[in-house]
């Protein structure tokens, strides 16, 4: 089970890199669009996060439920905003930066909330 959990964690972190990288590269290009990297990265984060939670329960690990629920809600909001605005060109600056800030907040919660 540890090997599965480690593999899931690697895919989860790769999803985070794709998500945040999509935002940064889009900003560096001077655009504000929800590119496929953003919404696919967000989807990977949600799916692998849920499977990691399931794997932890099978392994009798008990991560803090309020932390995981907070992260899940934020991840679902990021995913929803990315999908809902993927055809807008350009995305309003507040919406784009707010979605990016939420994704960054989720990273902060992951590493800062013990």
């Amino acid at each position: 089970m540890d090997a599965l959990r480690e593999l899931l964690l690697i895919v989860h972190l790769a999803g985070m890199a794709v998500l945040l990288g999509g935002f940064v590269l889009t900003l560096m290009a001077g655009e504000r669009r929800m590119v496929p990297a953003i919404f696919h990265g967000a989807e990977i984060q949600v799916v692998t996060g849920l499977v990691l939670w399931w794997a932890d329960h099978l392994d009798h690990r008990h991560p803090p439920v309020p932390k995981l629920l907070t992260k899940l809600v934020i991840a679902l909001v990021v995913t929803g905003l990315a999908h809902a605005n993927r055809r807008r060109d350009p995305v309003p600056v507040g919406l784009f930066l707010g979605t990016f800030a939420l994704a960054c907040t989720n990273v902060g919660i992951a590493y800062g909330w013990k």
Side-chain angles (χ1 to χ4, degrees), residues 2-23:
D2 283 340
L4 172 64
R5 189 178 183 292
E6 293 300 319
L7 178 64
L8 287 169
L9 188 59
I10 289 168
V11 175
H12 191 67
L13 292 173
M16 176 192 59
V18 169
L19 171 64
L20 296 179
F23 277 112

Side-chain angles (χ1 to χ4, degrees), residues 27-72:
L27 282 171
M28 288 175 62
E31 300 176 3
R32 291 186 322 270
R33 295 183 309 119
M34 297 293 182
V35 295
I38 294 172
F39 53 85
H40 290 313
E43 291 167 346
I44 291 168
Q45 288 273 273
V46 170
V47 171
T48 57
L50 289 171
V51 177
L52 275 166
W53 192 355
W54 169 77
D56 280 346
H57 281 289
L58 287 181
D59 229 7
H60 302 291
R61 296 178 193 195
H62 302 287
V65 173
K67 171 186 176 179
L68 297 178
L69 288 177
T70 302
K71 286 183 54 54
L72 177 62

Side-chain angles (χ1 to χ4, degrees), residues 64-110:
V65 173
K67 171 186 176 179
L68 297 178
L69 288 177
T70 302
K71 286 183 54 54
L72 177 62
V73 168
I74 292 172
L76 289 173
V77 169
V78 169
T79 305
L81 289 172
H83 274 282
N85 294 288
R86 69 179 185 254
R87 295 207 169 108
R88 287 179 91 171
D89 193 15
V91 174
V93 72
L95 179 65
F96 188 82
L97 293 177
T99 306
F100 181 43
L102 282 172
C104 291
T105 299
N106 235 3
V107 173
I109 290 171

